[in-house]
Amino acid sequence: MSADRRTITVYSDYVCPFCYLGRESLSQYQANRDEELAIDWRPFDLRSQKRRPDGTIDHSVDDGKDDEYFEQAKQNVRRLADEYGVEMDLDIAADVDSLSAQIVSYYLREHADYETWLAFDEAVFAALWEDGEDIGDADLLVEIAVDAGAEADEVRSALDDETLRETVRERFTEAQREGVTGVPTFAYDGYAARGAVPPEQLERLVEGT
């Protein structure tokens, strides 16, 4: 990534359908720009309230999201998918854990070039929301990363690296300290927009118009 390239910060979690839709909105906004903004991706954990100390998810924990909540979320997902012209295989991915995908994504962000990270990031979203695949599966993540230009051995090592895993979880906490309470959150030049906001709102965020 060029040092002088303008960037937009995006907090997201791969298991959030609104993050997927928000990225489509960002893509539509980017298509009308002369120069594409680079994405400064920041990981966020929607499962934080259910996560055990060892990183696994305890699905028995009540996080306040009942059937009514999920039905309303599904309706909103379908509405936005229609609005943005997106086809989705899933409405909600309640049982999928994104921690491993975020670990690989963070590793590539730190150690690979921007294009490799971006290709991986976009492919993970597509694998879950377009193909309905389990992005918690290590073999799938390695395959996606290799297709993006990474080395398989490096990705497997990253998945087994407990220090890296802890670093990613610290980034989750850091996002909360920075005031991020939900995703996607788009931030630019001290201002922010939360949710799968339309392209024109992202334009206002960045251009100030």
Side-chain angles (χ1 to χ4, degrees), residues 5 23 34 41 56 60 77 109-110 116 122 130 140 188 205:
R5 187 173 179 182
R23 286 292 294 277
D34 293 332
W41 171 76
T56 59
S60 68
V77 167
R109 195 194 77 159
E110 296 296 305
T116 297
E122 292 177 341
E130 296 174 22
L140 175 63
Y188 187 87
L205 174 68

Side-chain angles (χ1 to χ4, degrees), residues 6 24 44 50 52-53 65 72 77 80 86-88 99 126 128 147 157 165 169 172 177 179 190-191 195 199-200:
R6 296 172 73 187
E24 174 59 29
F44 190 87
K50 293 188 170 188
R52 302 182 181 96
K65 297 177 180 178
Q72 183 62 53
V77 167
L80 287 171
V86 173
E87 291 191 14
M88 299 176 68
L99 179 57
L128 177 60
D147 288 345
S157 294
R165 182 174 294 264
R169 295 188 69 181
F172 295 155
R177 284 200 303 266
Y191 296 92
E200 54 268 24

Side-chain angles (χ1 to χ4, degrees), residues 69-144:
Y69 168 89
F70 283 113
E71 185 54 40
Q72 183 62 53
K74 288 177 183 179
Q75 291 178 19
N76 289 335
V77 167
R78 292 167 194 153
R79 176 181 58 80
L80 287 171
D82 288 342
E83 184 176 330
Y84 297 157
V86 173
E87 291 191 14
M88 299 176 68
D89 184 71
L90 299 177
D91 296 318
I92 298 291
D95 296 327
V96 178
D97 188 0
S98 65
L99 179 57
S100 292
Q102 298 209 61
I103 289 169
V104 176
S105 192
Y106 187 83
Y107 174 81
L108 294 177
R109 195 194 77 159
E110 296 296 305
H111 298 284
D113 57 56
Y114 176 73
E115 286 71 23
T116 297
W117 169 79
L118 182 61
F120 174 82
D121 174 81
E122 292 177 341
V124 170
F125 273 122
L128 177 60
W129 296 109
E130 296 174 22
D131 302 328
E133 297 190 80
D134 179 7
I135 60 166
D137 181 79
D139 290 337
L140 175 63
L141 292 173
V142 171
E143 179 183 336
I144 293 173

Side-chain angles (χ1 to χ4, degrees), residues 11-13 16 19 44 46 175-176 179-186 193-195:
Y11 294 85
S12 68
D13 186 341
C16 171
C19 291
F44 190 87
L46 286 176
Q176 293 175 327
V180 178
T181 57
V183 287
T185 293
F186 300 91
R194 197 179 97 183

Side-chain angles (χ1 to χ4, degrees), residues 43 106 161-172:
Y106 187 83
D161 188 335
E162 289 301 324
T163 300
L164 178 61
R165 182 174 294 264
E166 185 56 36
T167 297
V168 171
R169 295 188 69 181
E170 288 172 0
R171 294 297 174 269
F172 295 155

